[in-house]
Amino acid sequence: MPTKTFLNLPKDKKNKVLKAAYKEFARVPLEKVSIKNIVENAGIARGSFYQYFEDKEDLFDYIMKIKIGNIEKKLNEMIEKENGNIINVCIDIYDFLIKIGKRRKNDKFFKQIYGNVKTSDNLMFTKKEEMSDNILQMLYNLYDKNKDILNINSEDEFKLVLEMLFTISRRRVVASLNYKDSDKAREDFLKEMEYIKYGIAKK
Amino acid sequence: MPTKTFLNLPKDKKNKVLKAAYKEFARVPLEKVSIKNIVENAGIARGSFYQYFEDKEDLFDYIMKIKIGNIEKKLNEMIEKENGNIINVCIDIYDFLIKIGKRRKNDKFFKQIYGNVKTSDNLMFTKKEEMSDNILQMLYNLYDKNKDILNINSEDEFKLVLEMLFTISRRRVVASLNYKDSDKAREDFLKEMEYIKYGIAKK
DNA sequence: ATTATATATGACACAGTGTCATTTGTCAAC
DNA sequence: GTTGACAAATGACACTGTGTCATATATAAT
């Protein structure tokens, strides 16, 4: 978390820093992000940065927390709207992410963030600590709504299904952000969702 | 590719360098790999490294090419053995990777390599250039053997299925390498394969 | 023995990180 | 309006690491 010092900063200055950071995070993957670039773009002294944040991960987590906060609200609405149907929720999330990810302001940032999620990060339930409690709670609630329509016999199996769905969906979001033809991209995604739903084996 | 200079080196010296590199690649993800550590461990001068390789990616690609060469042979055998059945091939690959990945000599290296594959790397067919021609050819040949048993109407749909299968499988390999209980890990993987095969929706 | 060619080396210029002693700003109390 | 105390800002510094290049050394060829 940022220090009190940063949180107390006048809005303008805070925004200047966050904007410079956003730009840098959009430029290269996190590991190549240069604090030097951020402080230069923000017009603050190098020392100030370390007065505000522990390191670049600290700043990154803060920015992501803000972004995810917005998405969580949306997610609740979607679950409501789809009455818990998890596949439809995935499709709604996909559409939502593509919509905001295609905005000129966001496109590079989105590609960096989503494209650079690692395989080991896709194992949500194996490392719960990293999930927001809200989202975790939300997902557990979903179990009840899905246990009768899905082929699942336990919460553990539901977790497997969720992880698969999210992994596949995330992959498709990245692909779509890179495609020229977004209709074709969406079609591919929907096909994959059908495969997940009904299986790839011929009856 | 390494330079002629490196390739012409006496076997011992070459091995010394490759061994030091392997150790460093097993320590941290590629972006954090330090050439300094490699040259120090290998006992060569910093300048020599740059006489042999363009940069650390060059060295990394070379090592991976060697490793993948071995796996390609195996893959051919598996396809033969399973008569092309793609899901069974996935299970065979899983078992093979876990077997060699659990060897003390390999475990850290494997975790680094597999765990750090990025979402954007999972879109094989969107960036063909990065695939070995051999593997690509192999996969195209598989289409014929699977088109009657899978729910696919075109090579494009087959590609979707393959990408999904590989993404899911790779995730499970990473998970398994981190699990204590490898029977449970394998069970989870098999369950996911069943889901992919017959779908998650209740009939 | 001499020359040409291949290989090896580490000092150097650069780029970036995180720290810390010092400076600057703010504001309440007198 | 001066003082003192606390908060915030600063950039020089010591580090760690990169990639290059002129020079030194080894090997081979004539």
Side-chain angles (χ1 to χ4, degrees):
Chain A
M1 271 297 285
T3 58
K4 220 177 90 261
T5 310
F6 178 74
L7 270 1
N8 287 338
L9 244 39
K11 221 175 160 189
D12 276 7
K13 191 165 191 183
K14 248 192 316 203
N15 280 337
K16 221 172 45 173
V17 174
L18 292 177
K19 217 175 150 188
Y22 194 82
K23 193 179 157 196
E24 179 68 3
F25 288 138
R27 190 181 65 85
V28 282
L30 183 54
E31 61 270 7
K32 284 192 185 129
V33 159
S34 148
I35 294 171
K36 193 170 176 272
N37 284 345
I38 296 176
V39 297
E40 277 171 9
N41 272 316
I44 61 169
R46 181 164 191 78
S48 299
F49 181 91
Y50 290 96
Q51 202 101 39
Y52 304 154
F53 308 99
E54 224 173 282
D55 47 31
K56 65 184 171 191
E57 276 79 17
D58 190 21
L59 167 55
F60 179 75
D61 289 348
Y62 178 64
I63 290 190
M64 284 311 285
K65 227 181 106 186
I66 297 172
K67 298 268 159 203
I68 288 173
N70 295 336
I71 292 177
E72 266 178 35
K73 253 181 285 166
K74 270 278 167 204
L75 185 56
N76 263 323
E77 288 169 31
M78 290 169 188
I79 292 174
E80 204 67 40
K81 181 186 146 213
E82 301 292 357
N83 196 27
N85 181 309
I86 190 66
I87 294 222
N88 290 345
V89 170
C90 278
I91 296 173
D92 289 351
I93 294 175
Y94 172 92
D95 285 331
F96 175 68
L97 291 178
I98 296 299
K99 197 182 84 191
I100 59 174
K102 290 255 177 189
R103 283 185 203 147
R104 223 182 157 306
K105 201 186 115 217
N106 291 330
D107 58 348
K108 298 235 176 76
F109 183 79
F110 263 61
K111 274 185 208 167
Q112 289 296 343
I113 303 314
Y114 281 98
N116 289 304
V117 170
K118 295 173 170 185
T119 303
S120 55
D121 301 328
N122 274 326
L123 299 153
M124 321 183 288
F125 293 107
T126 330
K127 19 178 177 169
K128 275 184 236 189
E129 346 60 80
E130 286 182 20
M131 292 193 74
S132 119
D133 285 347
N134 280 341
I135 292 203
L136 209 57
Q137 191 53 49
M138 233 182 269
L139 298 180
Y140 280 125
N141 292 342
L142 273 178
Y143 175 61
D144 282 336
K145 295 195 175 163
N146 282 278
K147 66 176 193 291
D148 296 327
I149 58 171
L150 296 185
N151 245 324
I152 47 177
N153 298 311
S154 66
E155 280 194 5
D156 275 355
E157 288 185 6
F158 184 52
K159 284 181 198 171
L160 289 186
V161 169
L162 280 180
E163 280 195 356
M164 282 172 56
L165 279 171
F166 288 178
T167 302
I168 298 292
S169 300
R170 179 184 291 127
R171 229 178 78 266
R172 274 294 144 202
V173 172
V174 176
S176 302
L177 291 173
N178 287 295
Y179 268 31
K180 319 238 141 46
D181 182 350
S182 40
D183 287 341
K184 169 77 166 66
R186 191 166 187 276
E187 252 173 57
D188 282 350
F189 171 65
L190 293 180
K191 267 187 196 167
E192 289 191 350
M193 287 296 111
E194 289 293 301
Y195 281 132
I196 294 269
K197 215 164 161 183
Y198 303 117
I200 61 173
K202 208 165 242 175
K203 263 124 224 159
Chain B
M1 270 298 284
T3 58
K4 219 177 91 260
T5 310
F6 178 75
L7 271 0
N8 287 338
L9 242 40
K11 218 174 163 189
D12 276 7
K13 190 164 193 184
K14 248 194 314 202
N15 280 337
K16 221 172 44 174
V17 174
L18 291 177
K19 217 176 150 187
Y22 193 81
K23 193 180 158 195
E24 179 67 4
F25 288 137
R27 190 182 65 85
V28 281
L30 183 54
E31 62 270 8
K32 283 192 186 130
V33 159
S34 147
I35 293 171
K36 194 171 175 269
N37 283 346
I38 296 177
V39 298
E40 277 170 8
N41 272 316
I44 60 170
R46 180 166 190 76
S48 298
F49 181 93
Y50 291 97
Q51 202 103 37
Y52 304 154
F53 308 98
E54 223 172 284
D55 49 32
K56 65 184 170 189
E57 276 79 17
D58 190 22
L59 167 54
F60 180 75
D61 290 348
Y62 178 64
I63 290 189
M64 284 310 285
K65 226 181 106 187
I66 298 172
K67 297 268 160 201
I68 288 173
N70 295 336
I71 292 177
E72 266 178 37
K73 252 181 285 165
K74 269 279 169 201
L75 186 56
N76 263 323
E77 288 170 31
M78 289 169 189
I79 292 174
E80 203 67 40
K81 180 186 146 211
E82 300 292 357
N83 196 26
N85 181 309
I86 190 66
I87 294 222
N88 289 346
V89 170
C90 278
I91 296 173
D92 289 351
I93 295 175
Y94 172 91
D95 285 332
F96 175 68
L97 291 179
I98 296 298
K99 197 182 85 190
I100 59 175
K102 290 255 177 189
R103 282 185 203 147
R104 223 183 157 304
K105 199 187 116 216
N106 291 331
D107 57 349
K108 298 234 176 74
F109 184 79
F110 262 61
K111 274 186 209 167
Q112 289 296 343
I113 303 315
Y114 281 98
N116 289 305
V117 170
K118 295 175 170 185
T119 303
S120 55
D121 301 328
N122 274 326
L123 299 154
M124 319 184 290
F125 293 109
T126 330
K127 20 177 177 168
K128 275 183 237 192
E129 345 59 81
E130 285 181 22
M131 292 193 75
S132 117
D133 285 347
N134 280 342
I135 292 205
L136 209 58
Q137 191 52 49
M138 235 183 268
L139 298 180
Y140 280 125
N141 292 342
L142 272 178
Y143 175 62
D144 282 335
K145 295 195 176 166
N146 282 279
K147 66 176 194 291
D148 296 327
I149 57 171
L150 296 185
N151 244 323
I152 47 177
N153 298 311
S154 67
E155 281 195 7
D156 276 355
E157 287 185 6
F158 184 53
K159 285 180 196 171
L160 289 185
V161 169
L162 281 180
E163 280 195 355
M164 283 173 56
L165 279 171
F166 287 178
T167 302
I168 298 292
S169 300
R170 180 184 291 125
R171 229 176 81 266
R172 275 294 143 203
V173 171
V174 175
S176 302
L177 291 173
N178 287 296
Y179 267 31
K180 319 236 143 49
D181 181 350
S182 40
D183 288 341
K184 168 77 167 66
R186 191 166 187 276
E187 253 173 55
D188 282 350
F189 171 64
L190 292 180
K191 267 187 195 166
E192 288 192 351
M193 288 294 111
E194 289 292 300
Y195 281 133
I196 295 269
K197 214 165 162 181
Y198 303 117
I200 63 174
K202 208 165 244 175
K203 262 126 225 154

